[in-house]
Amino acid sequence: MYLSFLDGKKVLLYFSAHCSDQDEQSMFEYMKEENMPWFALPFGDKRGLNTKYNVTGIPTVILLNSNMERIEKCPLRGDIDGIKNCLLE
């Protein structure tokens, strides 16, 4: 998949789970409480991105180029700084 508006930009996929998320509303409430301002796939989405990008544990961050090709798997350091550092590298 090629998305021209992403030319020269990086895309970050953040795979996580929150055990109390029972529906989309609770998912978005959690995201708001935890100050997660990014876009999210609909609750229960079955696109298979975890398989496509070989996600073996949660949380996992995958960095993609504008062609949606994996650049690298970013290490999480227990907070949002790990994600920010991955984007800046």
Side-chain angles (χ1 to χ4, degrees), residues 43-81:
F43 181 80
D45 189 276
K46 304 291 186 208
R47 294 175 201 235
L49 294 176
N50 57 330
T51 302
K52 179 176 182 170
Y53 295 112
N54 194 30
V55 175
T56 57
I58 291 176
T60 296
V61 173
I62 305 292
L63 192 60
L64 308 173
N65 62 22
S66 57
N67 291 319
M68 304 307 279
E69 299 164 332
R70 183 176 174 160
I71 298 171
E72 63 184 274
K73 191 173 186 176
C74 306
L76 289 179
R77 299 175 184 96
D79 58 38
I80 197 75
D81 289 333

Side-chain angles (χ1 to χ4, degrees), residues 14-70:
Y14 174 59
F15 293 85
S16 70
H18 189 258
C19 61
S20 67
D21 290 348
Q22 300 298 319
D23 55 35
E24 193 165 280
Q25 180 179 348
S26 61
M27 178 184 80
F28 284 119
E29 286 173 5
Y30 174 74
M31 288 176 67
K32 184 177 180 182
E33 289 169 10
E34 296 298 319
N35 194 27
M36 298 176 176
W38 43 77
F39 295 108
L41 294 174
F43 181 80
D45 189 276
K46 304 291 186 208
R47 294 175 201 235
L49 294 176
N50 57 330
T51 302
K52 179 176 182 170
Y53 295 112
N54 194 30
V55 175
T56 57
I58 291 176
T60 296
V61 173
I62 305 292
L63 192 60
L64 308 173
N65 62 22
S66 57
N67 291 319
M68 304 307 279
E69 299 164 332
R70 183 176 174 160

